[in-house]
Each structure stands twice: as structure tokens, then as C-alpha cells.
Amino acid sequence: MVDINDPPASSDDDPYAQYYVVQKGDTLSKIAEEFYGDKMLYPKIFEANTDILKDPNKIKPGQKLRIP
Amino acid sequence: MNRNWRHVLPAALVAVSLAIGGCANREAPAVRAVADAKAALATFRDQAEQFAASELQQVDAVLGDLEAHLQNGDYGAMVDAAPDLSMQIEALYATTVERRAAHAQANIAARVAWTTLAEDVPKMIQALQSRIDVLAKSRRLPADLDRTQFDAVRVRFEQMKSLWLEATAAVAAGEVVEAVGHGEMAATKGAEAMSMLGMTIDTAGG
């Protein structure tokens, strides 16, 4: 039986994944405050995007970030 | 399902009528007619129980009456009841076959629907679980979400997970139509929860 806690086999083509495209002037803290109401939760966004982010303080406009 | 009874039963019942009308020994053909009716029913009784239970009950009642007439030696009443029984068995058979075919068709459609649900709902659960876990750690909620709304989201999410568990249990038991019903309700609850959280669903698929 499928365990509902199991992640899907692949995250490709996932219509339920949430994304945000970085705008000029954005920071991870600002994005965290927008989505979570708490800027201190920015590490959650960073951890979800380590494939494209190496430093939480360096994001660029146009980057498509996954928002957990 | 064995179709041979279709030829056996009417002949036996006609034999009852003829025997009762003209022969001295009226019991033997009457006994045979009841036995043939029972044999005919036995060839598809299990299917009838599954797909036409109430109709089967009616046929069994008529057969029971016929047996009672036989035991009482009331062959005249048997002649009256026999054609009705024959028609009812034929109708029961037709109903059983028709409903079994409809059930098979519904199962095919349900399997297609289940394939989509089995792919989508776990992804939806994962997206919601992820967002709810983060929001649960938030000291303040986003501007468009208050505590009451967030609690309502969590209730819907728990309902969604329960429905999905029921769906996966049903499909494991081979009840695909039931599984799709639960799965669709789970997806609806999930979509409601996502909407309340301001989460979007990419219907374009990418």
C-alpha cells in the first residue's frame, strides 16, 4: 500500500509544487515574510533550492525558487 | 455463466403443464421442473447475488412457493406459477448479465481515473504537508491568513489524508470504483486547502 508520507517518485512535472520568480530587490528573508509571515524562516527556502543557490544572501532576479 | 439452462427450463416447465393436464403421474415432471429451475439458478446464482440481489430474492420466493405447491400436491397451482418462474429466471439472467457488463465498464473507467489520482494526490499531499510544516513554525502568519483559517486548513488536510488512506485501502482490496470516489474527495479537500493557503495548481502541467 502507498504510504501517504512517502514523497512522490519524481518531482518533475509536479503541478502542485510552489515556485516564485525572484524580482529585483528581493531577499530570501523578504520572500519568507511574504509566504510565511516570518522572515526568519528564510533557511527553509534556501534549503529547498540548494541546487541553484550556494549562498542565501545571493539571489538573482529571474531565478525560479521552489517555495516549500 | 452457463447458458444451457435457458433451453432446459422452459421445456421442463412445459412438460409440467402437459403432464398435469394429461398424465396419471403428475408428480415426477413437477419434481423435475423444480429441480431444473434450481439447477438453472445455480449456474449463475453467485453472479446474481452480486449484481441483482433483490431480483434474485423475488425469484427465490416464487421458487419457494412452487416447492410448497409441490409438497402439498397442488399441481394446478404449479401450472399457474411455473411460467412466471420461467420468465423471472430469464429476466434475472438478463439483468445479471447487463449489470455485470456495466460494472466491468465502470471498472475500466475507474482504473483510468485512478491512474491520474495515484499520480496527483501524493504530490498534492507533499506540497501541503511541506507548506503546513513551515507555517506551523512561523511566529506570524502571512498577511492573508489568520490562525482560524490556518486551523481550518489543517482540518481539511487531515480529512484529505484520511480519505486518501481509505482510497488506497480500497484499491488494494480491488474496489477501484470506491477508491476513485475516496480519491476524488481527497483531491477536492486538498484543492480547498491549497486555495486557502494561496497555493496555486499549475494546470498547464509544468
Side-chain angles (χ1 to χ4, degrees), chain A residues 1-2 4-5 7-8 10 12-18 33-38 40-41 44 64 66-68, chain B residues 120 122-127 130-131 134-135 138-142 161 164 168 194 199-202 205-206:
Chain A
M1 190 191 298
V2 176
I4 58 171
N5 294 313
S10 167
D12 294 342
D13 196 25
D14 180 352
Y16 305 101
Q18 304 297 300
E33 186 162 30
E34 171 72 20
F35 282 94
Y36 306 141
D38 186 347
M40 295 308 289
L41 291 172
K44 297 288 180 189
K64 189 177 178 183
R66 187 165 186 149
I67 309 296
Chain B
D120 281 3
K123 289 177 181 174
M124 195 187 276
I125 288 174
Q126 190 191 36
S130 166
R131 180 61 58 89
V134 177
L135 288 174
S138 179
R139 292 172 302 174
R140 291 177 297 277
L141 289 170
K161 288 193 290 184
W164 186 243
T168 53
M194 287 185 74
M199 298 168 76
T200 56
I201 299 173
D202 182 3

Side-chain angles (χ1 to χ4, degrees), chain B residues 136-156:
Chain B
K137 293 184 174 76
S138 179
R139 292 172 302 174
R140 291 177 297 277
L141 289 170
D144 51 357
L145 185 71
D146 62 29
R147 285 284 161 198
T148 305
Q149 289 169 322
F150 186 46
D151 289 343
V153 166
R154 292 172 112 163
V155 168
R156 273 182 176 72

Side-chain angles (χ1 to χ4, degrees), chain B:
Chain B
M1 202 178 290
N2 189 342
R3 291 169 189 268
N4 291 340
W5 65 271
R6 278 178 158 246
H7 306 291
V8 173
L9 184 68
L13 294 173
V14 168
V16 173
S17 305
L18 292 174
I20 290 168
C23 298
N25 182 4
R26 300 185 297 183
E27 187 179 354
V31 168
R32 201 183 78 207
V34 169
D36 285 346
K38 283 182 169 179
L41 273 173
T43 62
F44 68 101
R45 177 176 287 280
D46 57 337
Q47 300 274 311
E49 281 172 351
Q50 189 178 350
F51 298 110
S54 64
E55 289 86 347
L56 174 62
Q57 219 168 14
Q58 289 168 14
V59 170
D60 277 338
V62 174
L63 183 59
D65 288 345
L66 213 64
E67 285 185 294
H69 294 320
L70 180 63
Q71 281 181 349
N72 296 332
D74 189 354
Y75 303 118
M78 281 197 75
V79 170
D80 292 341
D84 188 37
L85 177 64
S86 176
M87 282 190 295
Q88 284 201 31
I89 293 178
E90 291 218 22
L92 174 64
Y93 179 81
T95 300
T96 302
V97 169
E98 186 183 328
R99 289 190 189 157
R100 189 180 59 170
H103 180 78
Q105 197 63 40
N107 257 325
I108 291 168
R111 287 198 178 280
V112 173
W114 178 256
T115 301
T116 304
L117 286 167
E119 189 177 332
D120 281 3
V121 177
K123 289 177 181 174
M124 195 187 276
I125 288 174
Q126 190 191 36
L128 276 165
Q129 185 76 66
S130 166
R131 180 61 58 89
I132 288 169
D133 286 349
V134 177
L135 288 174
K137 293 184 174 76
S138 179
R139 292 172 302 174
R140 291 177 297 277
L141 289 170
D144 51 357
L145 185 71
D146 62 29
R147 285 284 161 198
T148 305
Q149 289 169 322
F150 186 46
D151 289 343
V153 166
R154 292 172 112 163
V155 168
R156 273 182 176 72
F157 184 52
E158 290 307 313
Q159 291 169 338
M160 178 199 190
K161 288 193 290 184
S162 293
L163 284 163
W164 186 243
L165 276 178
E166 289 175 30
T168 53
V171 85
E175 299 294 339
V176 187
V177 173
E178 184 188 334
V180 168
H182 289 308
E184 285 176 344
M185 285 192 283
T188 300
K189 291 282 179 194
E192 287 171 2
M194 287 185 74
S195 173
M196 290 168 79
L197 290 175
M199 298 168 76
T200 56
I201 299 173
D202 182 3
T203 51

